[in-house]
Amino acid sequence: MTSTPLLKLSGLSKSFGAARAVEPLDLTVQAGDFCAILGPSGCGKSTLLRMIAGFIEPSSGSIAIEGRDITALGPEKRPTNMVFQSYGLFPHLTVAENVGFGLALQKKSKDEVSRRTDEALRLVRLEAFSQRMIDRLSGGQQQRVALARALIMRPKILLLDEPLAALDLKLRHQMQEELRRIHQEIGGTFIFVTHDQSEAFALANLVAVMNQGRVEQIGSPAEVYLSPATLFVADFVGETSLLAGERRQGRVTLKAGPHFASAGRDGPVRAIVRPERVGLKSDGVPAVVTDAVFFGASLKVSLRLPSDETLILRSSEADAAARYRIGERLAVGWEDQQVIDAGPG
Amino acid sequence: MRRAILLLAPSLAVLIGIFAIPVLLLFVVSFWSVKSFRLQPDFSLAAWHRFFTVYGDLTLYTLAVGLAVGLFCTLLGFVFAYAARFKAGRFGDLLLVATLITLFGGYLVKIYAWKSILGADGLLNQALMGIGLTSQPLAFLIYSRGAVIIALVHFLLPFAILPIYASLRNVSETTIEAARDLGASASQVLMRVIVPQCLSGLFSAFAFCFLLAAGDYVTPMLLGGTSGSMLGQFVLLEFSTNFNWPAGSAMSFGLLFVCLLVIGALAAAGSRLMRRGEGAAS
């Protein structure tokens, strides 16, 4: 393989009038990657995806696929295909005609179109529905048609815009499995946009977290989860607790009480504490249980600390429900907090 | 079910009482005969024979004018509605309101406006002579088929724009983006995605304009002269001046049947286009 990345975004940005939707950003995606662009709504992630697809002209920067600059090309000339959030299926065509639409435009022979349509429908397990009209399909089936219609083009990059947002929970998990299976089966490169961190972690091997038009962190799911680069990432990814504190000469003192060694600049900091790292500790911080939610495999407990901050605890022990009753006073501690510099205030 | 009948009853009564029965009676009259200006019940095919022999050519010509007007209106209406839907942004609805307002302008006013534009001392001829393109007024501008078609297209255009715009509203932008994403050029998007999704609107637009144009008799009377006359004028003539009700009736129904035939053929072709591929569904 060459060292040229499949997709390279350099200094890409977009402004709508005076409003910056996407700040200049760099992103590199290798062939075979399953990349998630993760962020809250309005963070610019859809704008970024639509720039890659060619529907939005960037204000600055460039997009290159396999080293070739495609910034100036329209969506019909790019080796990318998109699965739209609202699917955008053609209501006047059958399932098979929808899927074969792109190939028919290329004037491929009837045989090839129908062979590859069958293939694509088999991939998404819709062989039996090829002659149906679109309005007679369920939401999940329409989603698969949209997927097949894009995949049949054998795109260098498949773009998915909140692909599972319109589906109910069970169907969403099912489609996540399907997407993983299809990604492995065809070995393509997928980039998808989502606001759901669990979806991003379930599918992607590369996660780019966006906030207010900026990419805050790019990394593997584990990197993003375990060592968030910014406060926003820490807060957005996972159900971590952020505890305020102050660093003086290599030592951090939290408002809640604990202090520990931590090298870095003097000033206000936040300690990031993972819920699964919190437990009872006889000489720990006093805390009151304010809430306990049973999740089947684990119990999620909210604790109020002396500093009036909330600390989340997750326990999968069998007697957890009996131990963490609402109103109970306990002493808790944790290991492995991560410290991030916080701005004043 | 009973409720449905109850709800339908008033409108059905009106429709049957003041439309279906009179129309049927009029159809029966086409087989009657006239003796010394008095209608007499009869079974005579004389009126129908007269329609085919005397007015055959004029019927075909009337049909041609109707088709031309229907076609122009549908085409222009589509262009306008397309621009209003996809290019005008938030001004789209405003353009539609403007279209509706032109309907208040009235029918005769528009015809007389065209008279003053196309007439011998009208705007167009004055302008042409003013810039020296012709030395004499062009006589063929008014009192011709062209003048009739222009005035009818102008008057009927809103009737084409409205149904087409309504059906274009239902075309989602995402289907257009999806088609482009799959490699469709602008013309392929138009022909394979937009037009097929608004066929019903195009059909209603054409049917409206075609039927209204083919049945019109005021426009040809005022702008058609001798070369631009249409069947409707002669239906009027038979009913009034000639007092030949059977002939007028046969001509009305003759034109009606031919028009329905055209619309029916078009609808059949359209629905075959729509259902294509759905046959094997169940």
Side-chain angles (χ1 to χ4, degrees):
Chain A
M1 283 301 289
T2 62
S3 59
T4 322
L6 180 66
L7 174 72
K8 191 168 164 54
L9 310 179
S10 320
L12 199 67
S13 80
K14 179 66 193 178
S15 309
F16 294 106
R20 263 279 168 83
V22 175
E23 300 282 344
L25 64 83
D26 299 308
L27 179 67
T28 303
V29 177
Q30 304 293 343
D33 271 347
F34 201 143
C35 170
I37 301 169
L38 174 66
S41 58
C43 72
K45 58 191 193 298
S46 280
T47 307
L48 175 59
L49 194 77
R50 292 171 65 79
M51 282 197 280
I52 300 172
F55 290 113
I56 294 179
E57 198 184 332
S59 304
S60 72
S62 69
I63 306 168
I65 290 183
E66 288 177 336
R68 189 168 69 102
D69 190 323
I70 58 155
T71 318
L73 298 184
E76 65 275 7
K77 300 220 167 69
R78 295 193 182 191
T80 57
N81 285 104
M82 179 125 155
V83 176
F84 294 85
Q85 186 175 1
S86 55
Y87 313 145
L89 298 174
F90 307 122
H92 58 291
L93 300 178
T94 64
V95 167
E97 287 167 332
N98 263 279
V99 174
F101 188 88
L103 289 184
L105 287 178
Q106 293 179 353
K107 306 261 183 293
K108 300 271 190 220
S109 74
K110 272 219 170 72
D111 280 352
E112 185 179 354
V113 173
S114 81
R115 185 175 52 76
R116 280 173 65 180
T117 300
D118 289 347
E119 223 170 80
L121 284 174
R122 213 163 26 245
L123 192 67
V124 298
R125 303 185 175 156
L126 276 181
E127 310 93 305
F129 296 88
S130 69
Q131 296 308 313
R132 286 263 182 110
M133 293 308 276
I134 295 304
D135 56 5
R136 298 228 231 115
L137 298 180
S138 70
Q141 290 166 339
Q142 294 191 5
Q143 169 73 72
R144 288 157 194 251
V145 176
L147 193 59
R149 184 179 66 175
L151 284 174
I152 199 175
M153 305 306 288
R154 295 175 184 160
K156 293 227 162 75
I157 303 171
L158 180 72
L159 305 168
L160 304 109
D161 189 3
E162 299 262 3
L164 310 177
L167 305 178
D168 62 50
L169 190 67
K170 190 160 177 242
L171 211 52
R172 195 149 65 217
H173 287 307
Q174 216 175 313
M175 278 306 293
Q176 283 180 8
E177 288 304 311
E178 291 276 291
L179 276 175
R180 280 158 57 98
R181 174 181 66 81
I182 289 166
H183 180 252
Q184 282 163 8
E185 223 171 293
I186 65 174
T189 306
F190 292 9
I191 299 178
F192 77 109
V193 152
T194 182
H195 62 268
D196 179 349
Q197 52 92 8
S198 70
E199 191 171 293
F201 288 169
L203 293 174
N205 70 324
L206 181 70
V207 178
V209 186
M210 278 186 84
N211 180 36
Q212 294 183 336
R214 268 189 315 276
V215 171
E216 302 252 336
Q217 188 171 8
I218 300 172
S220 70
E223 278 166 12
V224 170
Y225 184 78
L226 294 175
S227 39
T230 65
L231 269 182
F232 172 80
V233 177
D235 196 27
F236 189 73
V237 173
E239 31 182 38
T240 54
S241 311
L242 294 173
L243 302 180
E246 183 99 8
R247 177 158 43 209
R248 290 247 179 282
Q249 286 150 5
R251 201 154 181 85
V252 165
T253 309
L254 295 181
K255 276 187 185 157
H259 46 89
F260 45 85
S262 159
R265 189 156 54 79
D266 282 5
V269 295
R270 295 278 189 282
I272 301 165
V273 181
R274 301 271 155 215
E276 64 274 14
R277 299 288 168 87
V278 182
L280 293 173
K281 194 176 169 205
S282 49
D283 61 341
V285 186
V288 183
V289 177
T290 56
D291 195 17
V293 185
F294 184 57
F295 276 93
S298 66
L299 187 76
K300 180 183 163 192
V301 181
S302 303
L303 301 160
R304 199 171 62 239
L305 300 180
S307 55
D308 237 11
E309 290 168 305
T310 301
L311 180 69
I312 310 281
L313 175 155
R314 213 177 245 285
S315 170
S316 50
E317 287 150 312
D319 59 346
R323 202 184 302 168
Y324 301 103
R325 272 197 292 265
I326 294 176
E328 194 92 17
R329 285 165 190 284
L330 314 157
V332 295
W334 59 83
E335 319 151 342
D336 284 355
Q337 72 275 24
Q338 196 198 338
V339 178
I340 291 181
D341 288 336
Chain B
M1 190 61 211
R2 178 175 283 173
R3 239 184 122 103
I5 294 171
L6 223 65
L7 287 169
L8 280 172
S11 51
L12 269 182
V14 170
L15 204 65
I16 292 171
I18 70 173
F19 180 72
I21 292 174
V23 163
L24 257 167
L25 283 178
L26 195 66
F27 183 64
V28 172
V29 165
S30 73
F31 298 102
W32 288 7
S33 57
V34 178
K35 295 253 162 61
S36 57
F37 294 103
R38 288 181 79 93
L39 271 176
Q40 291 191 330
D42 195 355
F43 187 78
S44 146
L45 290 175
W48 285 95
H49 185 252
R50 185 175 158 77
F51 167 64
F52 283 114
T53 51
V54 178
Y55 291 115
D57 288 352
L58 193 64
T59 305
L60 287 182
Y61 163 66
T62 302
L63 223 53
V65 170
L67 285 172
V69 171
L71 227 60
F72 281 134
C73 281
T74 311
L75 218 70
L76 291 174
F78 180 80
V79 173
F80 185 92
Y82 178 87
R85 166 72 175 88
F86 292 112
K87 306 286 175 200
R90 61 209 165 84
F91 296 110
D93 285 330
L94 211 69
L95 282 175
L96 258 287
V97 174
T99 310
L100 275 175
I101 288 172
T102 68
L103 281 177
F104 293 116
Y107 174 47
L108 284 172
V109 176
K110 285 180 184 167
I111 294 176
Y112 277 97
W114 281 109
K115 254 178 125 89
S116 69
I117 293 172
L118 300 173
D121 51 359
L123 205 64
L124 201 55
N125 272 321
Q126 294 294 327
L128 286 176
M129 287 191 297
I131 57 172
L133 273 177
T134 55
S135 53
Q136 282 186 338
L138 298 174
F140 64 82
L141 284 181
I142 197 171
Y143 305 127
S144 66
R145 295 169 186 194
V148 173
I149 290 175
I150 288 172
L152 280 173
V153 167
H154 175 215
F155 168 57
L156 293 173
L157 193 55
F159 294 95
I161 291 172
L162 294 175
I164 296 175
Y165 184 76
S167 65
L168 280 178
R169 286 273 292 240
N170 294 327
V171 177
S172 90
E173 265 124 308
T174 317
T175 62
I176 294 169
E177 288 191 338
R180 289 193 61 202
D181 189 57
L182 293 166
S185 64
S187 66
Q188 283 170 324
V189 169
L190 184 70
M191 294 316 294
R192 290 179 184 234
V193 176
I194 298 174
V195 168
Q197 284 190 74
C198 70
L199 270 188
S200 68
L202 290 171
F203 176 74
S204 340
F206 179 83
F208 261 141
C209 298
F210 167 68
L211 291 175
L212 287 172
D216 190 44
Y217 61 93
V218 179
T219 311
M221 213 145 76
L222 294 172
L223 287 173
T226 45
S227 68
S229 47
M230 286 166 70
L231 193 67
Q233 292 168 268
F234 292 88
V235 174
L236 180 68
L237 188 79
E238 295 289 357
F239 273 119
S240 58
T241 316
N242 296 356
F243 201 74
N244 192 343
W245 279 44
S249 167
M251 287 155 71
S252 313
F253 280 98
L255 186 62
L256 181 69
F257 291 145
V258 179
C259 287
L260 288 181
L261 217 66
V262 171
I263 296 294
L266 211 70
S271 78
R272 250 184 62 184
L273 219 73
M274 295 281 280
R275 306 232 168 245
R276 184 180 49 90
E278 206 190 0
S282 41

